[in-house]
Amino acid sequence: MITIEEFLRVELRVGTVLEAEEVPGSEKLIKQIVDFGELGKRQILSGIKKWYKPAQLVGKQFIYVVNLEPRMMMGLESQGMLLATDTGKPIILKPSKKVPAGAKIR
């Protein structure tokens, strides 16, 4: 269990995927360039290549954690985390309607 104060430290935002491509040499990773409005653009790496093609992501909005420490994967820096279900095929979380890039999730 975590406290509400600990949970509130997690910053969730809606991001709009501007670009997406497979990471060369990786069996799992897709690199996304994501627009977070006032926070700017960020590079996010997600291990979803087995289930999604990069073209399926471009232009779509998804939910991301944006206040994680950057992490190096396959020589590239990931500056956040895409949220998805932990099931056989991950289902990527997204808003039910289009919202401004960078909108906060509460």
Side-chain angles (χ1 to χ4, degrees), residues 55-67:
Q56 293 175 279
L57 308 176
V58 176
K60 305 265 177 54
Q61 292 190 312
F62 301 111
I63 310 299
Y64 295 85
V65 178
V66 296
N67 64 334

Side-chain angles (χ1 to χ4, degrees), residues 12-83:
L12 303 173
R13 300 265 185 147
V14 175
T16 303
V17 179
L18 302 175
E19 303 171 34
E21 63 184 38
E22 294 182 4
V23 173
S26 173
E27 294 179 10
K28 298 179 180 181
L29 296 176
I30 293 179
K31 178 178 83 170
Q32 304 142 69
I33 303 300
V34 184
D35 178 14
F36 289 104
E38 65 190 35
L39 297 178
K41 296 175 188 172
R42 294 193 183 183
Q43 176 174 277
I44 310 281
L45 303 176
S46 303
I48 58 172
K49 182 174 160 180
K50 179 177 176 181
W51 303 279
Y52 294 93
K53 297 197 180 314
Q56 293 175 279
L57 308 176
V58 176
K60 305 265 177 54
Q61 292 190 312
F62 301 111
I63 310 299
Y64 295 85
V65 178
V66 296
N67 64 334
L68 291 174
E69 287 188 19
R71 180 177 173 195
M72 295 300 291
M73 293 187 271
M74 298 293 296
L76 299 171
E77 184 178 75
S78 184
Q79 302 164 323
M81 179 186 288
L82 174 67
L83 295 183

